[in-house]
Amino acid sequence: MTLLEKARTQAETAHARLREALLSGEDTTGARRALTEAEAKLVELARESTSVGPDPEIEAAIQSEAAALVAETAEAIAARVNAFSPYPRPDPVEIPLGSALAYVRALRRHAAFESDLAEHRAREQRIQTRLDDLAARRESLVIRRMEGDERAEDAAELSLIEADRRALEQMLAEHRAARPVETQDQRRHVENWNTTCNEAEGHALRALAERLQQHTITLAERLVDFNREIRVAPGGLGYRMRVDQRWRAAAGQGVW
């Protein structure tokens, strides 16, 4: 984990502790101070990260993953193409590394988005659960009082429930407004990679079809020349080749 990722985790932890203090009614002074310090550190590291560029280890991993993806994809396409013919195979497929790099980065961003979204939904559910608990507590208290069981601390408890409810509803609204959003840029890179692979395979298949066609034409011409020379060879060999019916016209001989 990089320093920036650690700082981000610490800021999230400090924020969660402050939320816990708010939910539990504890003194929030220490939690607020810790959050301020963690967020300041995160901003500092984010600024440094922007100035020095991407993390070398992460970039190296992306480069390696993209290179492996290109090799695996080219091998898969070659296997499909070569399955059609044992000899006149086209040149190896070339796939742009840049397209694979963009695709790998898009996959990583998508995975991060899915993780953030799952965490966001879990937090939203927790806030909603807390609101449901408050509503149940208030309903229970009101029913008890309506049945004649009134207590001196009821007014203070109702006031606290109402204050907590307002704070939690505001927290829920802010949380929903901060819902992670996946950019169209990520989807575009995935679509571009799929298009690149399809075009590479199509190019390889067309190249193979052209070579097979030319090879077939050459074989047919050689077969005609062969039969012509055999028929007029000195010494009257009397050789007649048994020709497949599909090649009768090209060979210039009958079938028997």
Side-chain angles (χ1 to χ4, degrees):
M1 181 180 293
T2 65
L3 290 176
L4 181 59
E5 291 173 336
K6 290 179 180 178
R8 185 177 292 111
T9 300
Q10 291 173 354
E12 292 174 352
T13 301
H15 188 225
R17 287 175 180 170
L18 177 57
R19 290 158 58 90
E20 288 293 335
L22 287 170
L23 290 173
S24 63
E26 299 176 10
D27 183 357
T28 61
T29 303
R32 291 180 187 279
R33 184 184 304 111
L35 177 59
T36 300
E37 293 174 355
E39 288 182 337
K41 184 65 175 178
L42 176 60
V43 170
E44 178 185 354
L45 288 175
R47 187 183 300 112
E48 293 177 356
S49 175
T50 301
S51 62
V52 301
D55 186 298
E57 292 185 3
I58 295 178
E59 187 62 24
I62 291 175
Q63 291 280 345
S64 177
E65 188 175 345
L69 180 62
V70 166
E72 292 172 3
T73 304
E75 183 178 350
I77 292 176
R80 171 168 164 75
V81 172
N82 293 339
F84 287 100
S85 176
Y87 29 81
R89 298 175 180 177
D91 297 331
V93 175
E94 293 186 3
I95 300 176
L97 180 61
S99 179
L101 285 170
Y103 174 68
V104 170
R105 290 192 174 99
L107 289 182
R108 286 179 170 240
R109 288 195 296 269
H110 178 72
F113 161 75
E114 291 288 349
S115 177
D116 291 344
L117 183 60
E119 184 178 354
H120 184 274
R121 287 171 173 167
R123 290 180 178 178
E124 179 176 333
Q125 183 57 50
R126 186 178 180 189
I127 297 173
Q128 185 61 58
T129 299
R130 176 65 174 142
L131 279 168
D132 294 342
D133 291 343
L134 286 176
R137 279 178 55 192
R138 186 182 188 283
E139 182 180 5
S140 177
L141 190 150
V142 170
I143 292 175
R144 174 172 57 75
R145 288 174 60 84
M146 291 177 64
E147 292 175 348
D149 184 3
E150 298 184 3
R151 303 171 188 174
E153 65 273 15
D154 287 350
E157 185 174 355
L158 283 170
S159 178
L160 180 60
I161 290 174
E162 182 61 21
D164 287 350
R165 182 191 64 79
R166 288 195 300 268
L168 286 167
E169 286 180 346
Q170 180 179 356
M171 187 183 298
L172 182 60
E174 293 173 351
H175 184 73
R176 286 174 173 170
R179 183 182 186 276
V181 178
E182 185 174 24
T183 65
Q184 292 296 325
D185 182 63
Q186 297 173 18
R187 300 176 185 175
R188 179 172 58 83
H189 286 310
V190 172
E191 292 172 357
N192 286 347
W193 169 251
N194 292 334
T195 299
T196 296
C197 293
N198 291 336
E199 289 178 349
E201 182 173 354
H203 176 77
L205 289 172
R206 286 192 298 273
L208 176 61
E210 292 173 0
R211 291 196 178 194
L212 285 173
Q213 178 175 263
Q214 184 57 50
H215 191 68
T216 301
I217 292 172
T218 301
L219 286 176
E221 292 174 346
R222 295 291 176 83
L223 182 60
V224 171
D225 293 341
F226 171 79
N227 286 322
R228 184 184 300 113
E229 292 183 14
I230 287 298
R231 283 198 299 270
V232 298
L237 296 177
Y239 174 82
R240 300 188 70 188
M241 185 179 69
R242 191 177 297 277
V243 182
D244 188 284
Q245 184 174 5
R246 292 169 296 180
W247 290 94
R248 179 173 53 186
Q253 291 193 18
V255 178
W256 62 90

